[in-house]
């Protein structure tokens, strides 16, 4: 995958946007300790900012080729981010880049494999409602619409400026064909309300295997400084979450 035209294209536009969004670890402020991160894996460096990546819904990496490709892309992205930051003078050490993950379909063996690769398991099902404390990239390929909706809802307001989502295209969700069903509209209230403030960078669907990264985009949020976003849409209730990952 590293030598594929797909990854080269992604490096040319999406990666540069991600690098502009994420903090330079050598220039950040000290971080407070995170209750979810094992101290032996996440070392907070004085005067350095952690690069935070959250992966929801990666799938059965032990048996699904789709999940394996998507995991491979995540690891390649992290490697490229690390190399680019190093080239800019950042000192990349253990805990500089933190990748947290959660998917209830993962077996213990799959979870152990991911942690052996340096990822940090999120211990509870957050229902994708993680409130960010620093610039955070959410890696969510082909997740359910309610999952993206909950990320947006949880960070509604100025915090959305610190959120980037790499996943299904929000503009596609806003197409008329996706709005015909009331259930769809309910599951996407936060997405639909935020679309006017989204900078969406589409990823060309030129991967050699079809159906892996189609309809894939990076989303950044441009929050109006003066008027803000207004009141948050209603929180999704359990009866309306549809495909939302549950325990």
């Amino acid at each position: 995958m590293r030598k594929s035209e797909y990854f080269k294209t992604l490096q040319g536009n999406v990666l540069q946007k991600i690098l502009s969004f994420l903090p330079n670890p050598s220039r950040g402020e000290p971080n407070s300790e995170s209750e979810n991160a094992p101290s032996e894996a996440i070392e907070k460096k004085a005067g350095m900012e952690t690069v935070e990546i959250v992966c929801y819904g990666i799938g059965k990496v032990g048996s699904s080729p789709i999940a394996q490709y998507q995991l491979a892309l995540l690891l390649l992205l992290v490697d490229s981010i690390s190399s680019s930051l190093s080239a800019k003078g950042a000192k990349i050490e253990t805990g500089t880049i933190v990748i947290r993950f959660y998917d209830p379909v993962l077996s213990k063996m799959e979870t152990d494999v991911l942690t052996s690769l340096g990822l940090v398991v999120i211990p509870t099902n957050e229902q994708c409602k993680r409130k960010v404390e620093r610039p955070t990239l959410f890696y969510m390929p082909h997740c359910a619409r309610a999952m993206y909706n909950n990320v947006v809802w949880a960070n509604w307001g100025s915090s959305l400026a610190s959120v980037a989502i790499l996943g299904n295209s929000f503009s596609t969700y806003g197409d008329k064909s996706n709005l015909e069903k009331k259930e769809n509209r309910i599951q996407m209230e936060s997405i639909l309300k935020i679309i006017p403030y989204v900078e969406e960078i589409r990823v060309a669907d030129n991967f050699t295997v079809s159906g892996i990264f189609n309809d894939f985009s990076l989303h950044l949020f441009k929050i109006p400084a003066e008027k803000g976003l207004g009141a948050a849409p209603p929180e999704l209730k359990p009866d309306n979450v549809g495909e939302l990952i549950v325990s």
Side-chain angles (χ1 to χ4, degrees), residues 8-243:
K8 291 177 182 177
T9 301
L10 188 144
Q11 284 182 301
N13 54 2
V14 173
L15 179 61
Q16 295 309 311
K17 284 286 187 179
I18 291 173
L19 289 170
S20 297
F21 165 78
L22 292 173
N24 185 325
S26 63
R27 298 174 185 170
E29 297 299 324
N31 288 319
S32 60
E33 293 291 337
S34 170
E35 73 280 2
N36 293 332
S39 58
E40 68 272 18
I42 310 302
E43 299 178 10
K44 301 299 182 183
K45 305 296 181 181
M48 296 179 67
E49 181 70 75
T50 297
V51 173
E52 189 93 4
I53 300 173
V54 175
C55 174
Y56 288 135
I58 193 63
K60 297 286 293 180
V61 294
S63 57
S64 168
I66 293 176
Q68 291 163 4
Y69 276 121
Q70 292 171 349
L71 173 62
L73 178 61
L74 171 61
L75 297 177
L76 281 176
L77 276 174
V78 172
D79 184 65
S80 294
I81 290 170
S82 177
S83 297
S84 297
L85 292 175
S86 294
K88 294 180 179 180
K91 188 176 181 181
I92 307 299
E93 302 178 351
T94 300
T96 303
I97 301 177
V98 182
I99 315 167
R100 306 185 194 278
F101 72 96
Y102 184 84
D103 193 327
V105 306
L106 292 169
S107 67
K108 184 181 183 304
M109 181 182 71
E110 290 169 321
T111 298
D112 289 345
V113 168
L114 291 175
T115 54
S116 74
L117 292 171
L119 283 67
V120 179
V121 64
I122 297 171
T124 59
N125 189 348
E126 303 174 329
Q127 299 287 296
C128 303
K129 296 176 183 177
R130 172 174 286 254
K131 178 80 170 177
V132 303
E133 298 178 354
R134 58 184 60 85
T136 301
L137 172 64
F138 288 84
Y139 182 78
M140 302 172 64
H142 290 336
C143 285
R145 65 178 69 88
M147 297 170 66
Y148 302 111
N149 190 85
N150 278 1
V151 172
V152 173
W153 176 85
N155 293 283
W156 193 262
S158 60
S159 291
L160 272 176
S162 296
V163 170
I165 299 175
L166 189 54
N168 291 357
S169 166
F170 281 19
S171 60
T172 298
Y173 282 143
D175 288 348
K176 184 177 180 180
S177 60
N178 286 314
L179 303 177
E180 293 175 352
K181 292 183 179 180
K182 181 179 179 181
E183 177 187 11
N184 290 355
R185 296 195 301 273
I186 291 173
Q187 292 176 5
M188 297 191 297
E189 283 193 74
S190 294
I191 293 174
L192 297 176
K193 191 171 181 179
I194 200 63
I195 283 177
Y197 308 102
V198 173
E199 178 186 1
E200 181 172 334
I201 300 94
R202 298 297 293 262
V203 181
D205 184 18
N206 61 350
F207 191 57
T208 53
V209 182
S210 63
I212 307 293
F213 300 112
N214 59 300
D215 203 31
F216 206 40
S217 294
L218 175 68
H219 305 82
L220 302 170
F221 302 92
K222 307 300 181 182
I223 311 305
E226 295 183 2
K227 62 178 182 178
L229 295 177
E235 181 178 5
L236 270 180
K237 302 301 181 183
D239 291 342
N240 294 324
V241 296
E243 299 175 86

